[in-house]
């Protein structure tokens, strides 16, 4: 047994008027108003709100996946714990408080737009998480306190009998939600970019969203424990799409040098790392288990940093 390893509006340029001369003449005409920016599409905003609620819950409940993976790293799933496992002290990870995220997701399920397949999958996911979470919490406390030393792992085996089917149901329901979310998000991304361009042109906000959408496309193809072999053809296409988004960002810098500077350096370095990792994957015939894990971890961590930077920049630009 191996030891487990562990969107930006352009800067608003106020046109300065000298009101003194106008005040001298009672017949002075009213100041011309800047044309109003087209309003966002309400249906699109509702779809984005639903996507955000579902994504927030998926992100926070990923901890349950990580906790289950930690448990599987040291226990024999078929037999259950004996109390004598070499790495039994690893136990499980404690879970996050996700009551707020569950409440928002439950509200989103019954809100427009109605997406029957995705909404039903999310309902099942919430139910399976509710069944699994208390078991993980009990098991985490049990192993953290080393109670297995007192009862010969009897409660551990009892918990194991309930944990296995609950975790399997949870993982299946999560995979169903993620499958429907990928299709929903792909359509939503195209609609959001088109709406920003309709209202602002290819602004800094459009470019940041474009880059992050392309980055997400790469991340969706990164290897996981459940899917360690990468589809190199699809991965190459995703990297090419991300590279094209960066070239579009370069064109923005020619007219608005500061428009996306906050993301530019990080996004460029990330592309370089992707290309280096792609070479290692090629030598391993796409199998991430033979391509090393350091680069993969760096790519994931820096993607998360880019997400945080982009969200901050987009929030400030509203």
């Amino acid at each position: 047994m191996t030891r487990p390893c562990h969107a930006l509006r352009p800067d608003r340029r106020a046109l300065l008027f000298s009101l003194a001369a106008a005040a001298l003449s009672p017949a002075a005409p009213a100041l011309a108003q800047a044309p109003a920016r087209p309003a966002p599409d309400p249906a699109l905003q509702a779809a984005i709100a639903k996507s955000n609620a579902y994504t927030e819950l998926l992100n926070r409940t990923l901890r349950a996946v990580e906790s289950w993976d930690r448990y599987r790293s040291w226990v024999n799933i078929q037999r259950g714990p004996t109390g004598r496992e070499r790495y039994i002290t690893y136990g499980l990870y404690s879970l996050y408080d996700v009551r707020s995220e569950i409440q928002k997701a439950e509200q989103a399920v019954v809100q427009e737009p109605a997406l029957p397949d995705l909404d039903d999958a999310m309902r099942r996911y919430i139910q399976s998480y509710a069944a699994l979470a208390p078991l993980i919490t009990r098991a985490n406390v049990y192993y953290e306190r080393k109670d297995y030393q007192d009862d010969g792992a009897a409660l551990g085996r009892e918990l194991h009998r309930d944990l296995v089917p609950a975790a399997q149901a949870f993982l299946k329901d999560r995979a169903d939600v993620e499958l429907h979310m990928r299709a929903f998000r792909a359509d939503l991304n195209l609609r959001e970019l088109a709406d920003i361009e309709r209202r602002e042109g290819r602004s800094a906000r459009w470019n940041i969203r474009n880059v992050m959408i392309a980055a997400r496309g790469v991340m969706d193809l990164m290897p996981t424990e459940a899917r360690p072999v990468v589809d190199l053809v699809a991965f190459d296409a995703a990297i090419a799409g991300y590279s094209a988004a960066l070239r579009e960002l370069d064109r923005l810098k020619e007219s608005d040098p500061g428009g996306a500077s906050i993301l530019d350096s990080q996004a460029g370095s990330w592309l370089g790392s992707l290309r280096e990792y792609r070479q290692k994957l090629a030598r391993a015939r796409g199998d991430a288990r033979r391509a090393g894990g350091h680069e993969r971890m760096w790519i994931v961590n820096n993607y998360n940093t880019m997400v945080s930077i982009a969200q901050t920049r987009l929030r400030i630009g509203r």
Side-chain angles (χ1 to χ4, degrees), residues 113-184:
L115 304 165
D117 291 341
L118 174 56
D119 294 339
D120 288 346
M122 180 54 72
R123 287 190 185 96
R124 293 193 301 273
Y125 180 68
I126 292 171
Q127 292 169 357
S128 61
Y129 180 82
L132 175 64
L135 294 170
I136 287 182
T137 298
R138 287 183 63 195
N140 171 60
V141 171
Y142 177 76
Y143 290 105
E144 188 174 63
R145 294 176 179 176
K146 298 182 172 60
D147 286 342
Y148 53 85
Q149 294 181 356
D150 293 335
D151 67 354
L155 180 57
R157 287 188 291 274
E158 180 183 328
L159 286 169
H160 183 83
R161 286 192 292 269
D162 294 332
L163 268 169
V164 172
Q168 290 173 341
F170 167 76
L171 293 173
K172 178 185 180 302
D173 290 339
R174 183 179 178 92
D176 288 345
V177 172
E178 289 176 335
L179 178 65
H180 292 301
M181 277 293 292
R182 279 195 292 271
F184 176 42

Side-chain angles (χ1 to χ4, degrees), residues 6-170:
H6 290 56
L8 273 178
R9 293 193 174 99
D11 294 335
R12 296 182 178 181
R13 298 176 177 83
L15 181 60
L16 301 181
F17 293 97
S18 173
L19 300 181
L24 295 175
S25 171
L31 293 176
Q33 297 296 314
R37 176 176 292 168
D41 178 356
L44 174 60
Q45 295 306 305
I48 290 172
K50 173 167 283 196
S51 175
N52 287 344
Y54 287 178
T55 299
E56 287 169 10
L57 179 59
L58 286 169
N59 287 346
R60 289 286 285 177
T61 53
L62 179 63
R63 181 71 168 181
V65 178
E66 296 169 342
S67 185
W68 174 246
D69 286 344
R70 185 174 177 89
Y71 180 67
R72 290 195 310 114
S73 71
W74 61 264
V75 75
N76 183 306
I77 294 298
Q78 284 71 39
R79 183 181 63 201
T82 65
R84 299 184 299 276
E85 288 79 7
R86 181 177 181 183
Y87 298 116
I88 192 172
T89 55
Y90 285 176
L92 298 85
Y93 291 128
S94 60
L95 301 182
Y96 301 137
D97 183 350
V98 296
R99 287 173 295 180
S100 173
E101 288 81 4
I102 287 177
Q103 182 181 31
K104 291 176 183 176
E106 289 176 331
Q107 292 169 350
V109 163
V110 297
Q111 292 171 345
E112 294 295 330
L115 304 165
D117 291 341
L118 174 56
D119 294 339
D120 288 346
M122 180 54 72
R123 287 190 185 96
R124 293 193 301 273
Y125 180 68
I126 292 171
Q127 292 169 357
S128 61
Y129 180 82
L132 175 64
L135 294 170
I136 287 182
T137 298
R138 287 183 63 195
N140 171 60
V141 171
Y142 177 76
Y143 290 105
E144 188 174 63
R145 294 176 179 176
K146 298 182 172 60
D147 286 342
Y148 53 85
Q149 294 181 356
D150 293 335
D151 67 354
L155 180 57
R157 287 188 291 274
E158 180 183 328
L159 286 169
H160 183 83
R161 286 192 292 269
D162 294 332
L163 268 169
V164 172
Q168 290 173 341
F170 167 76

Side-chain angles (χ1 to χ4, degrees), residues 155-231:
L155 180 57
R157 287 188 291 274
E158 180 183 328
L159 286 169
H160 183 83
R161 286 192 292 269
D162 294 332
L163 268 169
V164 172
Q168 290 173 341
F170 167 76
L171 293 173
K172 178 185 180 302
D173 290 339
R174 183 179 178 92
D176 288 345
V177 172
E178 289 176 335
L179 178 65
H180 292 301
M181 277 293 292
R182 279 195 292 271
F184 176 42
R185 191 164 51 214
D187 175 69
L188 196 57
N189 287 337
L190 294 176
R191 290 171 59 194
E192 185 181 4
L193 276 178
D195 191 60
I196 296 172
E197 188 168 7
R198 173 182 67 85
R199 295 186 293 114
E200 304 176 9
R202 295 198 169 188
S203 61
R205 189 157 71 102
W206 183 93
N207 272 275
I208 288 177
R209 288 295 294 125
N210 189 43
V211 166
M212 294 312 299
I213 288 169
R216 179 71 252 181
V218 174
M219 290 301 298
D220 284 344
L221 295 169
M222 285 288 288
T224 64
E225 183 174 339
R227 194 190 67 240
V229 179
V230 177
D231 181 337

